[in-house]
Amino acid sequence: MQNLTDLPFNATPPSSLSVIIKVCVVIPLFCPFLCCIIVMLHVFASNRQFMETSRYVLFAHMLINDTLQILSSVLLFLCVMAQVKFAVVLCVPLLVISTATFQNTTLILAAMSLERYVAIFYPLQRPAAWRSERIWIMVVSLWFISFVFPIIEFALKSGNPAVLGLTTPVLCKATTINSSLIQTLFRAAVSVLFFAVVAFIILFTYVRILLETRKLRQDRLSVRRAMHTVLLHGFQLLLCILAFTSPITESLVVLHTVWTREDIAFFNYFCFILVPRFLSPLIYGFRDQVLRSHMV
């Protein structure tokens, strides 16, 4: 996963002003996001009707995943900004959580798109896997798949001689721990696989729902809402994909601007990793009239 923790701060320590600006940009957005998530999760936990609906279960699952992603990502960001080093045994779990939750976002988007597809095409008799009492099996499966690949990646032998043992103090970045060629290739292959499969699912569900709107005479409003929701899933997936283009864009922009590589990487991290997750509660939460009525 390309994020701010991959920045080459060992070579060029960030200036105090640059650190202050970046922290002042991230923290004011992080705090309202966390408060909003806590309120939404409280609404879900205190109203049984939400936990008995597959769509809301998946949405709550996405909120928890995004919260873990933001918490781990911002913590790593602050440590890198402050040049704080700590033991590998503490660094690896943080990087695993950050990577796994980033990949899990794509799986959740695919699951939510499929849920809308099932709700439109099987409104009266849903497949067993998509019923509220069984949807937790899918939720657990998504978490399992998301964590398996990062654990395998970190289990592969690292080629960095500076990382001698679990107690070695390091600047906690993915490039410090996962520096071997096989890890880089494995990470790239997994990322391509995840996004290719999810992109196909979202495109398939969107096209099918779009075609369905032309056939149905009744309840076209709900079908159109489902279509718009799937389209939003696609937009969020696009932002996630753009995060993987960061190494290319950083190299190109550095050649034509006065920006440093660190500043460009921070811009990519903020726009394509943080912002999509800050917007998730707004896009999927406040659009829902039932959820909105419980929050006001």
Side-chain angles (χ1 to χ4, degrees):
M1 178 184 110
Q2 176 69 17
N3 57 36
L4 198 60
T5 61
D6 295 336
L7 292 177
F9 286 132
N10 287 337
T12 308
S15 66
S16 298
L17 179 60
S18 175
V19 171
I20 293 173
I21 292 174
K22 290 169 183 175
V23 171
C24 289
V25 168
V26 171
I27 299 303
L29 285 175
F30 168 73
C31 294
F33 165 83
L34 190 60
C35 292
C36 184
I37 294 297
I38 292 174
V39 170
M40 286 189 175
L41 291 178
H42 174 71
V43 169
F44 282 133
S46 58
N47 292 273
R48 187 177 179 84
Q49 69 180 82
F50 291 117
M51 293 296 98
E52 293 178 347
T53 306
S54 299
R55 178 162 59 97
Y56 292 118
V57 171
L58 289 173
F59 179 61
H61 167 52
M62 183 177 70
L63 292 179
I64 295 172
N65 179 83
D66 285 351
T67 302
L68 289 175
Q69 164 65 26
I70 294 296
L71 285 173
S72 60
S73 180
V74 170
L75 179 59
L76 290 169
F77 158 74
L78 293 175
C79 289
V80 171
M81 286 288 106
Q83 295 286 288
V84 175
K85 295 184 178 181
F86 47 92
V88 173
V89 69
L90 300 176
C91 173
V92 169
L94 271 177
L95 290 175
V96 168
I97 293 173
S98 180
T99 304
T101 50
F102 180 80
Q103 294 176 345
N104 198 24
T105 298
T106 62
L107 299 181
I108 300 169
L109 293 174
M112 295 178 73
S113 297
L114 286 173
E115 191 280 330
R116 290 292 81 203
Y117 172 83
V118 170
I120 295 300
F121 287 90
Y122 305 96
L124 300 178
Q125 188 174 4
R126 291 193 173 199
W130 294 98
R131 296 172 186 170
S132 58
E133 63 271 15
R134 297 285 187 89
I135 196 67
W136 293 103
I137 298 176
M138 180 172 296
V139 169
V140 172
S141 300
L142 294 180
W143 281 100
F144 177 78
I145 294 171
S146 299
F147 273 87
V148 162
F149 291 105
I151 291 174
I152 293 175
E153 179 186 338
F154 282 97
L156 297 174
K157 183 176 177 58
S158 174
N160 191 344
V163 183
L164 301 177
L166 296 178
T167 58
T168 304
V170 296
L171 194 62
C172 195
K173 303 185 296 180
T175 52
T176 302
I177 307 299
N178 299 340
S179 58
S180 66
L181 178 61
I182 187 172
Q183 288 173 312
T184 301
L185 294 176
F186 179 82
R187 187 186 315 126
V190 170
S191 299
V192 171
L193 176 63
F194 268 58
F195 283 94
V197 171
V198 174
F200 172 79
I201 291 175
I202 291 178
L203 181 62
F204 169 78
T205 53
Y206 179 78
V207 172
R208 287 300 306 273
I209 293 174
L210 178 62
L211 295 176
E212 189 68 11
T213 58
R214 299 181 179 180
K215 297 178 183 179
L216 293 179
R217 297 289 183 180
Q218 299 177 346
D219 201 22
R220 298 188 66 174
L221 180 60
S222 62
V223 177
R224 287 186 179 276
R225 285 178 178 173
M227 184 178 65
H228 293 158
T229 300
V230 173
L231 188 61
L232 287 173
H233 296 333
F235 175 71
Q236 193 169 7
L237 178 66
L238 176 62
L239 293 178
C240 292
I241 293 175
L242 290 175
F244 283 93
T245 66
S246 295
I248 300 174
T249 57
E250 288 164 22
S251 300
L252 293 177
V253 175
V254 164
L255 296 176
H256 299 90
T257 67
V258 295
W259 283 22
T260 64
R261 185 180 294 274
E262 291 86 352
D263 292 335
I264 299 168
F266 173 77
F267 177 81
N268 288 331
Y269 166 76
F270 180 79
C271 293
F272 303 131
I273 294 180
L274 290 185
V275 170
R277 284 153 185 83
F278 289 148
L279 293 178
S280 291
L282 301 177
I283 292 176
Y284 303 111
F286 293 106
R287 287 179 65 245
D288 189 281
Q289 295 180 356
V290 178
L291 179 60
R292 190 169 63 245
S293 65
H294 283 81
M295 295 183 63
V296 296

